[in-house]
Amino acid sequence: SYKNWAVAFGARALKPLAVGASMKFIESTADPDSNGMGFDAGFIFYLSDKLSLGLMLKDISGTKIYSGGALMETRKQRFYTGLSFIPSDNTRYYIDFPDSIRGFEDISFGAESAVSKGSFFRVGYDRKWVLGLGFILLQRFHVDYTYNSSAGKNIYSATIKF
């Protein structure tokens, strides 16, 4: 099992286009000497006020994980496509497709709904059920929690928007 730490930047490049990139540091929870670094990039095309198309390239250079200086794993480059639909200010639906779909289990989908101003509840499917909560604090500081039942993982994130 691995812990991922990332620094990411995203910006609206043009009215219908946003771009983003991240650099991630990966460390093993089982072997403290096992770690690696990788890069991801993505684009969002705003097709309308309610519909957007996302494209993401993960592990751009084939993320390599080393242990004690020896190569342990190379994560291959992966491409994802996603659609997001926002029927109202309080609700969002999404669906994501990887570059190679072997079956239904490779497709992720979900929904997000505002519980109150600044707080959100999420439910989705990513090989198993995923539940999450999100909070907007001080307008630019976001805190998220997700539980992914397929991996038995708790995922925390904090975001500062500039």
Side-chain angles (χ1 to χ4, degrees), residues 122 133 135 141-146 154-160:
R122 299 177 186 106
L133 295 172
F135 302 96
F141 186 68
H142 297 222
V143 177
D144 288 290
Y145 166 78
T146 303
N154 295 299
I155 301 167
Y156 305 93
S157 69
T159 306
I160 299 173

Side-chain angles (χ1 to χ4, degrees), residues 2-71:
Y2 293 97
K3 281 195 268 184
N4 292 326
W5 303 91
V7 175
F9 176 79
R12 196 100 180 230
L14 302 167
K15 187 172 181 166
L17 175 68
V19 297
S22 69
M23 178 176 69
K24 58 189 174 189
F25 180 74
I26 302 159
E27 62 180 336
S28 170
T29 56
D31 178 3
D33 292 330
S34 181
N35 57 61
M37 188 172 22
F39 301 93
D40 303 331
F43 301 91
I44 298 174
F45 299 96
Y46 296 94
L47 304 173
S48 73
D49 289 344
K50 297 186 179 288
L51 186 65
S52 60
L53 170 70
L55 305 172
M56 183 177 67
L57 190 58
K58 287 189 75 160
D59 300 308
I60 292 172
S61 57
T63 300
K64 294 173 178 34
I65 299 172
Y66 296 89
S67 180
L71 180 63

